[in-house]
Amino acid sequence: MHTLRFRFRSLAPTTSFWLIGRQRSTCVGDGSATGESKGTWTNDWDQSNPMAAQVSKGQKSKASRHIIMVRHGHYKKTPTSGEQLTDLGRQQAKWTGQRLRQFNISWDQVVVSTMTRAQQTSAIILKELDFDSCQVINTDELREGAPYLGDPPQRGSSQKLQDFVRRDGPRIEAAFKRYFYRAPSDQERDTYHLIVCHANVIRYVTLRALQLPPEAWTRLSLNHGSITWLTVFPSGHVSLRFMGDSGFMPVDEISCCRRIARATPD
């Protein structure tokens, strides 16, 4: 016992000095950093998007883009009507809409996956937000799929998984490039973008935006109706404000997979 205590005590100063040596920097208001830190962040990560490309030509971005993503509510599949939100899923969507309304945000854009469970979830949310459904952008790019080969490897046939990724990966990557980029130079104020889609998509684009290994998406789990908030600063740096927030729902109305016995996410 005494030996262990001694070892932890002796490691603490060494660890502190190592951490200080690794990063001597401070964050400023636009999300950029000052100091001696030499990281691996790629500053021009979004320059394939025409809206952001002008910034690389000497024009400075002045505002932030806030991308708020919502996973659809709990649903079930039936032989006759296909996938539909359950009563639980509809209630989850209502809770989420009420939570988003509390943010008191004026939404600049709402984008929704064309899959039924996302469409039904967004319809309930938009009623809570009093947002004109005619202004919604519906897109196939945000449909659920396999964005990337996971690590640790997922269960199932390796060949089948590779086929799914070849089918879905480019589409989901295209969605990331379409909706995630810094504000163009003529944008004078912060903008807020709501995306209603799916767990795999949200997990993947969050890691891509943060420049973290995309194969780690299978290690993350999101509850139905949960909210994930990313901010792209004028510098091009990206911050995760929160991920998979569902704490605004009653505990007995939280779920993460179609099976109510929620041992593992699907």
Side-chain angles (χ1 to χ4, degrees):
M1 190 73 174
H2 292 292
T3 303
L4 286 174
R5 190 181 300 120
F6 171 78
R7 285 178 179 171
F8 283 125
R9 188 183 300 121
S10 63
L11 282 172
T14 305
T15 304
S16 298
F17 283 124
W18 179 81
L19 288 171
I20 293 170
R22 289 278 290 178
Q23 179 146 1
R24 297 173 180 268
S25 66
T26 56
C27 187
V28 296
D30 65 352
S32 61
T34 60
E36 303 173 14
S37 176
K38 295 182 179 179
T40 59
W41 183 266
T42 302
N43 282 317
D44 60 352
W45 61 273
D46 58 348
Q47 295 309 292
S48 63
N49 188 295
M51 296 293 288
Q54 58 182 287
V55 178
S56 65
K57 300 175 183 177
Q59 303 179 49
K60 186 175 175 59
S61 181
K62 301 181 287 291
S64 296
R65 299 182 74 251
H66 302 273
I67 299 100
I68 295 90
M69 296 176 286
V70 171
R71 187 190 179 194
H72 58 78
H74 182 269
Y75 73 104
K76 65 179 179 181
K77 292 182 178 179
T78 64
T80 55
S81 58
E83 62 178 46
Q84 301 286 329
L85 288 187
T86 61
D87 290 342
L88 174 61
R90 286 188 286 272
Q91 183 57 56
Q92 289 167 337
K94 188 175 181 66
W95 285 117
T96 302
Q98 291 173 352
R99 177 59 171 166
L100 292 172
R101 188 177 65 208
Q102 291 174 346
F103 293 156
N104 197 28
I105 287 173
S106 177
W107 298 97
D108 295 276
Q109 184 184 55
V110 177
V111 185
V112 183
S113 159
T114 53
M115 296 188 80
T116 301
R117 55 189 185 266
Q119 290 283 311
Q120 292 178 339
T121 299
S122 68
I124 296 170
I125 288 174
L126 295 182
K127 285 182 181 179
E128 296 293 331
L129 299 180
D130 195 25
F131 187 90
D132 183 3
S133 60
C134 294
Q135 302 300 315
V136 173
I137 298 172
N138 298 297
T139 176
D140 290 336
E141 283 185 334
L142 290 169
R143 292 174 70 89
E144 186 64 300
Y148 207 90
L149 287 176
D151 182 20
Q154 298 159 267
R155 293 172 297 181
S157 165
S158 175
Q159 184 58 54
K160 185 175 290 188
L161 288 172
Q162 290 179 32
D163 291 343
F164 287 153
V165 170
R166 277 194 289 267
R167 180 194 66 189
D168 302 329
R171 167 178 57 80
I172 297 173
E173 174 66 15
F176 169 75
K177 290 180 177 178
R178 184 180 305 277
Y179 297 110
F180 288 80
Y181 55 90
R182 78 195 72 187
S185 59
D186 59 354
Q187 182 176 311
E188 298 291 337
R189 60 171 182 83
D190 286 9
T191 54
Y192 295 85
H193 309 262
L194 177 63
I195 296 177
V196 182
C197 58
H198 309 273
N200 294 1
V201 176
I202 295 171
R203 290 182 286 176
Y204 173 77
V205 299
T206 297
L207 291 173
R208 283 284 284 113
L210 297 173
Q211 297 189 16
L212 296 173
E215 62 269 22
W217 70 271
T218 54
R219 307 174 201 174
L220 306 174
S221 180
L222 296 175
N223 290 331
H224 290 121
S226 61
I227 302 172
T228 297
W229 185 321
L230 284 161
T231 298
V232 183
F233 293 104
S235 63
H237 292 180
V238 181
S239 174
L240 178 62
R241 183 167 178 178
F242 46 77
M243 183 173 189
D245 178 27
S246 58
F248 49 86
M249 297 184 194
V251 173
D252 60 355
E253 294 185 1
I254 292 176
S255 64
C256 67
C257 63
R258 280 185 284 140
R259 297 179 298 278
I260 297 297
R262 311 183 276 276
T264 57
D266 62 359

